[in-house]
Amino acid sequence: MVLNISAGIRSLQSRLFLLSCLLCAAGDETVTLQEVEGTTITLHTGITGIQTDAQILWFYGPEKAEEKILFSQVFKGETVTEISERFKERLQLDRISGALTIRNISRNHSGVYLLQVIAGRVSSRTFSVSVYAPVSTPVIKRESRSVVSTEPCSLLCSMENGEDVTLSWYRENERISITNNTDLSVPLNLSLQIQHHDVNTNTYICVSANPVSNKSSSLNITQLCDHLSGQTDGSRSLLPALISAGGFVLLIISVTLWILLKNKEQQVSKKPEVTYADVNTKAHSVERVKKEENSRITQVEAETDPVVYADVKR
């Protein structure tokens, strides 16, 4: 009879304990966390000074925290902590506050986490954790080609889909369109049409985002919408050929000028040497003058009658 009473008391205590846990969990405010996979997070409880003999339990579940992933208590003066295989080598417990650190968290660890601290009474905390992969960088490409400048430029921004991922077009700082898809197997695509008057007036950016990350790609209108900027595919493809031809012509001109200069130098070096002798013009002039004077004297003497001088005696 006594045994039955004792068993009944223990059963009643267990039921009261479970009821108190459920009431704590029901009245507890849930803390929501959004994290990037591969990082380390800590679930801070806000509790301080947990009794050393208290039992600390953490539960986890994708939707409801039903799986016990950690149990810690002090037994005969030693702390004994048990961790489930799912979270082996990932969990670290702070027994003073009950905070739980999860290392290298993955998307498979998204879900509900419940803390229970049992020390005479039960204290609990609930966390909703969502883990996301970083978004991929969006890629902008042209949907169709046109050479008519009056036609709009049709562009397509694409990216790999993911959980809670959105894809948006921004003009300057204003979002002008957005899309998402719950079917994660289908890539996200978002179209944009650029008019001729927008070429030099607006900046367009395609942005992929989820709750924990975002990446963007800027639109190069000159490159993708060349028919609006006045540059066609033909002119752009001919540009390298024209540059090569121009370089070849310059090379031919340079070689020709070098050959002409070389030939001119050789012709100058082959001219006969001219030896110049000094002429003593002064000596020849004096001699010529003397000859002319002697000739005149001789002529005068010939024309003059001879004079005979006779001795006079006294």
Side-chain angles (χ1 to χ4, degrees), residues 69-142:
I69 60 173
L70 183 145
F71 172 75
S72 178
Q73 67 176 350
V74 176
F75 182 74
K76 293 183 180 181
E78 294 185 2
T79 300
V80 178
T81 302
E82 299 175 358
I83 300 175
S84 69
E85 287 296 325
R86 178 196 289 265
F87 289 90
K88 210 72 172 176
E89 307 299 331
R90 292 180 185 269
L91 302 184
Q92 182 178 345
L93 176 68
D94 180 2
R95 279 196 56 87
I96 297 176
S97 65
L100 182 68
T101 298
I102 308 173
R103 293 184 293 268
N104 192 25
I105 195 167
S106 71
R107 283 178 288 175
N108 294 330
H109 299 145
S110 294
V112 180
Y113 292 79
L114 172 65
L115 164 69
Q116 289 182 351
V117 179
I118 305 171
R121 67 184 186 89
V122 178
S123 299
S124 65
R125 298 288 187 275
T126 305
F127 300 83
S128 176
V129 179
S130 299
V131 183
Y132 298 90
V135 293
S136 59
T137 302
V139 177
I140 303 173
K141 62 182 180 180
R142 189 165 170 179

Side-chain angles (χ1 to χ4, degrees), residues 35-55:
E35 305 293 338
V36 180
E37 69 173 345
T39 60
T40 297
I41 71 168
T42 299
L43 307 181
H44 297 283
T45 64
I47 302 174
T48 58
I50 294 178
Q51 297 178 13
T52 55
D53 61 346
Q55 293 181 344

Side-chain angles (χ1 to χ4, degrees), residues 196-231:
H196 185 273
H197 57 79
D198 290 333
V199 172
N200 298 318
T201 57
N202 294 310
T203 300
Y204 293 88
I205 299 175
C206 186
V207 179
S208 59
N210 65 10
V212 296
S213 64
N214 65 81
K215 291 182 180 178
S216 62
S217 296
S218 298
L219 170 61
N220 188 333
I221 296 181
T222 303
Q223 180 180 4
L224 293 178
C225 300
D226 46 20
H227 72 287
L228 297 181
S229 60
Q231 184 183 19

Side-chain angles (χ1 to χ4, degrees), residues 162-198:
E163 186 177 0
D164 294 335
V165 170
T166 61
L167 188 63
S168 307
W169 273 110
Y170 283 81
R171 180 173 53 214
E172 303 297 337
N173 296 322
E174 176 190 4
R175 185 167 66 187
I176 57 177
S177 60
I178 185 172
T179 187
N180 65 349
N181 195 334
T182 55
D183 185 355
L184 303 185
S185 63
V186 179
L188 291 181
N189 298 297
L190 191 59
S191 299
L192 175 69
Q193 287 195 339
I194 303 294
Q195 302 297 331
H196 185 273
H197 57 79
D198 290 333

Side-chain angles (χ1 to χ4, degrees), residues 242-303:
L242 292 175
I243 293 175
S244 301
F248 181 74
V249 170
L250 288 176
L251 177 62
I252 294 297
I253 293 174
S254 300
V255 172
T256 304
L257 290 175
W258 180 82
I259 293 174
L260 291 175
L261 291 175
K262 198 71 175 176
N263 291 338
K264 188 174 181 180
E265 291 177 358
Q266 292 177 357
Q267 289 176 2
V268 171
S269 62
K270 291 180 179 180
K271 284 185 178 181
E273 295 183 357
V274 179
T275 303
Y276 296 92
D278 293 334
V279 179
N280 192 348
T281 57
K282 185 176 181 181
H284 287 282
S285 298
V286 172
E287 184 178 355
R288 187 169 58 252
V289 170
K290 286 183 178 181
K291 286 183 179 181
E292 290 177 355
E293 288 180 353
N294 291 336
S295 175
R296 285 198 298 271
I297 293 173
T298 304
Q299 184 177 0
V300 169
E301 288 178 351
E303 294 176 354

